[in-house]
Amino acid sequence: MSTGLFLLCAITVAVLGVVYNLTDESLPAHQPSLATHSELIASNPTGSRVVPTLRFVVAVSRHGKRGPSFTYPKSPYRHNDTKIWPFGVGELTQKGRMQMFNLGKKIRSLYNGFLGQIYRPGEFKGLSTPMGRTLQSAELFLAGLFPPTGFQMWNKDLKWQPIPVFPNLLDRNDMVPPSGPNFCPKYREVQKKPMKEYLEEYKSELDKLVEYALPYTGFNTDDLKSQKMGGILRVYILFVLWESFIYPQGDGLPLPDWSKKIFPEPLTFLIKKAFLATSIGTDLQIRYLEGEMFKEMVEHMRAKEKNTSSERMFYYSGHDHTIVGLQAILG
């Protein structure tokens, strides 16, 4: 999977951990259940990724499609316009909700038979970062993964069952934005070198793009010039433009004509490079960003290997930085 997929806001699932038996001995069959199968399960009783030696799976996804967190002042789709983004600033859109529900159904189709049809706390655990859109994404994913059947049906008018989503406090994505709160001084320090290299290498392209876009944005150019348009400020404007274009486009909204000169290119290229520099530009950044979370995943795998764990699947709901950081660890 290329990094561009994350930046284009596609739903991405990385199956990071799969533990197999080293023999051909089949797993014990599930005990028969009184619950009736859903149509999905009935049509695909054994998932396409289920083999006799499969023992454990870790799946990680980005949240679903969302609205912008910020936009330039003259944007026709301001981030706080509830007529366009009725669920709120940076929250999941209708498309994002359906994406995550369908993603849960897809994982069910891949691992059905390995993952029991009945949700059992000892076999599956779902986790999420403590942010609205990731928590909602996890809930929607679980609704698609575990449709209630039989004794699980507690309301005949609502085909949904409550499944716990536990907090994932080891995903450090909130310390990445260079212009945001300094949650980790060590991370901010090692972030300086790749950011400096990025600003030096792409200074000309950044200057041209920002100079072209500013008159259309509604930003107070006098105020910006008084701040001497430092590198971080140019990167901030870059991300504002990105948020202002990519999320409306993803929701099927037409973009202003002037944007065609800079979007998708060269804006996408410059954003991708800035994204990588700010998040995983050095080995230490990678370790600080997702090292603790990856260590936890490995511990779960080792426990399964030693037969000291009953869990079959862990699911993590996260962010762009979550996926990119974990992929960087895996090389």
Side-chain angles (χ1 to χ4, degrees), residues 122-140:
E123 293 185 357
F124 175 90
K125 188 172 185 178
L127 302 98
S128 171
T129 59
M131 183 173 285
R133 58 178 174 260
T134 52
L135 287 164
Q136 289 178 323
S137 293
E139 292 164 359
L140 290 157

Side-chain angles (χ1 to χ4, degrees), residues 117-181:
Q117 299 149 15
I118 306 300
Y119 165 72
R120 301 192 188 283
E123 293 185 357
F124 175 90
K125 188 172 185 178
L127 302 98
S128 171
T129 59
M131 183 173 285
R133 58 178 174 260
T134 52
L135 287 164
Q136 289 178 323
S137 293
E139 292 164 359
L140 290 157
F141 175 88
L142 293 176
L145 185 64
F146 287 107
T149 58
F151 72 87
Q152 296 175 307
M153 293 292 295
W154 59 277
N155 185 331
K156 63 181 179 62
D157 298 320
L158 181 63
K159 198 169 185 181
W160 171 85
Q161 62 174 318
I163 295 176
V165 177
F166 294 90
N168 175 16
L169 303 179
L170 299 180
D171 186 336
R172 308 298 184 181
N173 69 90
D174 55 359
M175 67 186 181
V176 172
S179 59

Side-chain angles (χ1 to χ4, degrees), residues 38-56:
S38 68
E39 291 182 1
L40 173 64
I41 297 172
S43 64
N44 185 19
T46 301
S48 59
R49 293 188 180 177
V50 176
V51 294
T53 53
L54 180 63
R55 296 190 60 198
F56 184 68

Side-chain angles (χ1 to χ4, degrees), residues 61-261:
S61 80
R62 177 191 186 269
H63 54 75
K65 283 182 179 290
R66 64 172 176 88
S69 295
F70 38 80
T71 50
Y72 58 86
K74 286 186 177 180
S75 169
Y77 313 116
R78 291 304 305 276
H79 59 289
N80 55 0
D81 187 338
T82 55
K83 292 181 180 178
I84 301 171
W85 313 109
F87 293 107
V89 176
E91 298 297 339
L92 295 184
T93 62
Q94 287 284 22
K95 289 184 178 180
R97 285 162 161 74
M98 187 57 70
Q99 274 184 322
M100 294 309 301
F101 178 71
N102 287 336
L103 186 60
K105 292 171 64 177
K106 178 64 176 179
I107 295 298
R108 164 59 62 186
S109 73
L110 295 175
Y111 292 100
N112 190 49
F114 170 74
L115 187 65
Q117 299 149 15
I118 306 300
Y119 165 72
R120 301 192 188 283
E123 293 185 357
F124 175 90
K125 188 172 185 178
L127 302 98
S128 171
T129 59
M131 183 173 285
R133 58 178 174 260
T134 52
L135 287 164
Q136 289 178 323
S137 293
E139 292 164 359
L140 290 157
F141 175 88
L142 293 176
L145 185 64
F146 287 107
T149 58
F151 72 87
Q152 296 175 307
M153 293 292 295
W154 59 277
N155 185 331
K156 63 181 179 62
D157 298 320
L158 181 63
K159 198 169 185 181
W160 171 85
Q161 62 174 318
I163 295 176
V165 177
F166 294 90
N168 175 16
L169 303 179
L170 299 180
D171 186 336
R172 308 298 184 181
N173 69 90
D174 55 359
M175 67 186 181
V176 172
S179 59
N182 190 356
F183 291 113
C184 178
K186 289 185 177 180
Y187 186 90
R188 187 59 53 86
E189 187 62 32
V190 297
Q191 191 182 52
K192 290 179 180 178
K193 183 175 182 291
M195 276 299 298
K196 180 181 178 182
E197 292 172 349
Y198 168 79
L199 291 170
E200 289 175 350
E201 183 172 357
Y202 299 108
K203 182 181 184 304
S204 176
E205 291 90 337
L206 281 169
D207 287 345
K208 289 178 182 177
L209 188 148
V210 171
E211 183 179 356
Y212 167 77
L214 274 181
Y216 299 101
T217 62
F219 283 121
N220 189 318
T221 54
D222 291 335
D223 287 348
L224 293 176
K225 288 177 181 178
S226 69
Q227 298 179 46
K228 298 182 180 180
M229 285 297 289
I232 295 297
L233 184 57
R234 289 202 299 275
V235 172
Y236 168 74
I237 293 173
L238 200 69
F239 274 94
V240 169
L241 292 171
W242 177 259
E243 290 264 331
S244 301
F245 296 155
I246 193 66
Y247 294 109
Q249 183 194 61
D251 223 46
L253 299 171
L255 300 181
D257 288 340
W258 67 267
S259 68
K260 296 176 183 178
K261 189 172 180 179

